[in-house]
Amino acid sequence: MSTRLAAVTRPFRATGLPPRRLAVALAGLVGVEALLLLAWLWVSPGDVTAPRYLLYPFVWIDASLLAAALVLGDARGRQESAGGRPGAVAVLVGVGYAVLLLWAGGLIGRGGGSGALTLLTAPPGWGPIILYDGAVRLAVVPFKLIGYLVLAWLVALVVGAAGRPLVSGALGLVTCVGCTGPLILALVAALGGGSVTAYAAVSDLSYDLSTVVFLVSLVGVTWSVLRSRH
């Protein structure tokens, strides 16, 4: 039992922070995020009708940072550099996968060519949002960008370690609203006989569902990376 416990806690210890100190670091991060959110609520006009949407970006960001810390910490404990350098094929898969997630999540797309650059204010984590409309349309939404890039990096590590790009990519394919939302909405609309009420109800839960799927996928890919090293 002690051997299994040591194996489970080794990535935490390898980060350079004992579990207790890591918990304190995470608590400090959450504290800073809470202060940012309170400051935004103080200066922002209007009422918040769905408070959970203010918290989801921090869930994505914190979970992504924790996953990256565990993988890098585990590599440091094994004296690997940069979390284990993936090969050229794995890098290409990771980049392609990142592009797929960014496109499906609405962060990149076909632009109108106007060259307009816009900065939008939004709650912490959601914003500030940067929009660019050139040959390619770009939208920088902080929590999505961080989550997708970390997930793509982890997939590249799994591919590099296991050489199974199709299986690895499938782990996170449904992590974004752009991927899961239309499928779920279409399914509910079909089951509800095309009911507008049913469609609207699931649409309201799209970020709830995508956050759950993102976390499950992130845990699965992180576990795959750590497992591939043992």
Side-chain angles (χ1 to χ4, degrees), residues 36-37 40 57-58 61 107 117-132 138-146:
L36 290 174
L37 184 56
W40 184 85
F58 297 133
I61 292 172
L107 300 189
L117 182 65
T118 307
L119 179 65
L120 302 177
T121 59
W126 286 94
I129 298 174
I130 301 175
L131 303 177
Y132 173 74
L138 303 175
V140 177
V141 181
F143 83 95
K144 282 189 174 185
L145 183 62
I146 292 172

Side-chain angles (χ1 to χ4, degrees), residues 3 12 29 38 61 72 91 94 99 101-102 118 129 154 156 159 164 170 172-173 175 177 191 197 213 222 225 227-228:
T3 303
F12 291 89
L29 176 61
L38 289 174
I61 292 172
L72 290 173
V91 171
V99 172
L101 286 178
L102 294 173
T118 307
I129 298 174
L154 293 174
V159 172
R164 297 177 180 177
L173 183 59
T175 58
V177 176
L191 293 178
T197 302
V213 177
T222 303
V225 173
R227 183 173 178 270
S228 68

